[in-house]
Amino acid sequence: MLGRTCAVALVGLHGHVVEVEAHLATSLPAFSLVGLPDASLAESRDRVRAAVTSSGLAWPNRRITVNLSPATLPKTGSGFDLAVAVATLAGAGVVDATSVAAWVHVGELGLDGRVRPVRGVLPAVAAAVAAGRPRVVVPAGNAAEARLVPGAEVLAAEHLAQVAARHGADVVVPEVEPVPDVPPRRGAVEVLDLADVRGQEDARLGVEVAAAGGHHLLLVGPPGTGKTMLAARLPGLLPDLGEADAVEVTAVHSVAGTFDPAHGLLRRPPFEDPHHTATAASVVGGGSGLPRPGAASRAHRGVLFLDEAPEFTTGVLQTLRQPLEHGELVLHRAGGTARYPARFQLVLAANPCPCGRAVGKGLDCTCRPEQRRRYFGKLSGPLLDRVDLQLEVPPSRSADAPGEGSAAVAARVRDARETQRERWRAGGWRTNGEVPARALHAALGADARLLADLHRAVDRGTLTLRGADRVLRVAWTLADLDGRAAPARPDVARALALRTRGHGA
């Protein structure tokens, strides 16, 4: 007596369709679950038994062996409960085995038989549809999220009895109150206007260039000069996410449990600003078993802002080097390896010293020289070498007038990004910040005088070769904002000034 259905195992954002087989033998009653389950999945045998009996269905008094195939793939979480239950009922002849085998079942069971929401339903349903299994049963609390997947035939379930009745069981479906959704609901994202920042023309230009070219940014200045205000307004300058990016970003937030399906796919670039006490696991991802996405992955296609960056631990800052270089986080744990996208714009904000008063001649500063060196020593050379724009933010003056609003700046950013998309379409790149050095140099032509300033900076040791490539990327963005087909020597000089003006020079 054998019952079969399917579920989905998530490894990172990648879903794998898992065949759930329940074999019932005439022997002493027992329940075994095999196929590399984790602790929370191994506990499903108790939840499933209680849910079946609470639903008014007969629990088979036999030896039950449930196999999750392929057995070499790690399975984690409580989202297999529903599949285990219906496969067992199919093996016992309580439900139609043919009907059960045609559907994918995802959901956690309560002891009273209710079907509870789980994380990661969007990528799970997408994986099922891609595998040619579009018929999916999901918890009612996840139904809106599941229906965002094109081609999915979604059945929303509030109770196990409802699912069993759908598959032919003779059972009375009880009336149950809807189970509240698991992911925390986020309020509407407040749109912040760049016009709120008074003065700071150089810093405003740096934020505009960063938005236009997808560049990383460092802002150094005393407290109260507007560094946090500038960083918080950067997402408002970025264009809306395309369809593919919206699905990918939404999938990350679904797995992380921070997605509210009531608002549909995430169309705006995300903004993440972890506190400086955050651990490496919370920033880049982690957890027991297979790791979950952290702030860096939740900021995919958006902005990751580290305020008071030197206050973060060195371990946290160094873990950002991989995503800055490759746009992806590969997390290796004992339970397996997970890959999460992490192509974000990094914005760092820092005071000039621990006390923050080393402005001008620094007469009010109370920090010792070794304290200053240790403070900025947290921002290592290899990390800062990957930050394209490094700017000082001086104190504002009362006479400074409000600057241009976000709408006008966002329009220039949108036009510049469209120019970049067309220019680099053949290579598959979208912004100047993603383009490799060989393509940047090839598009410039053979005019050696154009890069003379960069070559001198490298020879003097002011820039590394990687830093010179970063300056060239910014020069391309400056040309795009001005509507020119290629950068000129003044663009390279301006880009060099935008990089070497801060403490990271």
Side-chain angles (χ1 to χ4, degrees), residues 202 205-206 209 388-391 474 478 493-502:
D202 288 344
L205 173 62
V209 173
D388 306 353
L389 302 162
Q390 302 176 14
L391 304 174
V474 175
L478 290 170
R494 288 175 67 199
L496 188 59
L498 288 172
R499 181 180 178 83
T500 58
R501 193 173 296 164

Side-chain angles (χ1 to χ4, degrees), residues 93 104 116 139 141 203 209 269 272 317 358 370 374 381 406 436:
V104 175
R116 299 179 178 275
V209 173
E272 293 288 335
L317 295 172
E370 65 271 18
R374 191 182 310 115
S406 292

Side-chain angles (χ1 to χ4, degrees), residues 36 83 123 148 150 248 287 412 435:
L36 222 57
L148 295 174
E248 189 174 38
R412 291 197 297 270
V435 182

Side-chain angles (χ1 to χ4, degrees), residues 91-366:
V94 176
V95 297
D96 182 18
T98 304
S99 176
V100 166
W103 288 77
V104 175
H105 295 82
V106 177
E108 177 186 333
L109 290 177
L111 299 184
D112 58 355
R114 291 188 297 173
V115 183
R116 299 179 178 275
V118 293
R119 294 178 177 181
V121 164
L122 179 69
V125 174
V129 173
R133 292 182 169 272
R135 307 174 77 182
V136 185
V137 180
V138 301
N142 295 128
E145 180 180 347
R147 292 190 178 106
L148 295 174
V149 180
E153 182 182 341
V154 178
L155 174 62
E158 294 181 344
H159 200 276
L160 176 59
Q162 179 184 355
V163 180
R166 174 63 179 78
H167 293 309
D170 184 13
V171 62
V172 177
V173 179
E175 293 186 5
V176 295
E177 294 183 3
V179 179
D181 202 354
V182 168
R185 295 187 173 273
R186 288 184 164 186
V189 178
E190 183 181 2
V191 179
L192 303 176
D193 199 328
L194 198 58
D196 298 335
V197 181
R198 303 177 66 90
Q200 304 297 1
E201 294 303 320
D202 288 344
R204 288 170 57 92
L205 173 62
V207 171
E208 180 177 346
V209 173
H215 304 292
H216 308 303
L217 175 65
L218 167 66
L219 300 172
V220 180
T225 56
K227 303 186 297 295
T228 302
M229 289 182 67
L230 287 162
R233 282 149 182 79
L234 175 56
L237 307 181
L238 302 177
D240 289 342
L241 301 175
E243 191 68 27
D245 286 342
V247 171
E248 189 174 38
V249 170
T250 304
V252 172
H253 285 258
S254 174
V255 173
T258 58
F259 171 57
D260 180 5
H263 301 297
L265 293 176
L266 297 177
R267 299 289 183 179
R268 291 297 303 154
F271 179 76
E272 293 288 335
D273 55 342
H275 192 260
H276 64 261
T277 57
T279 63
S282 67
V283 173
V284 299
S288 60
L290 288 176
R292 295 193 180 276
S297 291
R298 296 196 303 272
H300 178 57
R301 297 298 177 188
V303 176
L304 176 64
F305 175 46
L306 303 186
D307 200 4
E308 304 292 346
E311 299 293 344
F312 283 79
T313 64
T314 303
V316 170
L317 295 172
Q318 292 307 312
T319 56
L320 296 175
R321 290 164 58 179
Q322 182 194 49
L324 289 179
E325 197 69 28
H326 303 292
E328 182 184 48
L329 276 165
V330 183
L331 305 174
H332 298 274
R333 298 292 186 273
T337 300
R339 293 177 177 269
Y340 292 110
R343 191 169 293 282
F344 53 81
Q345 287 184 243
L346 178 65
V347 179
L348 305 172
N351 293 328
C353 65
C355 76
R357 291 179 289 187
V359 184
K361 295 182 179 180
L363 299 179
D364 295 330
C365 178
T366 59

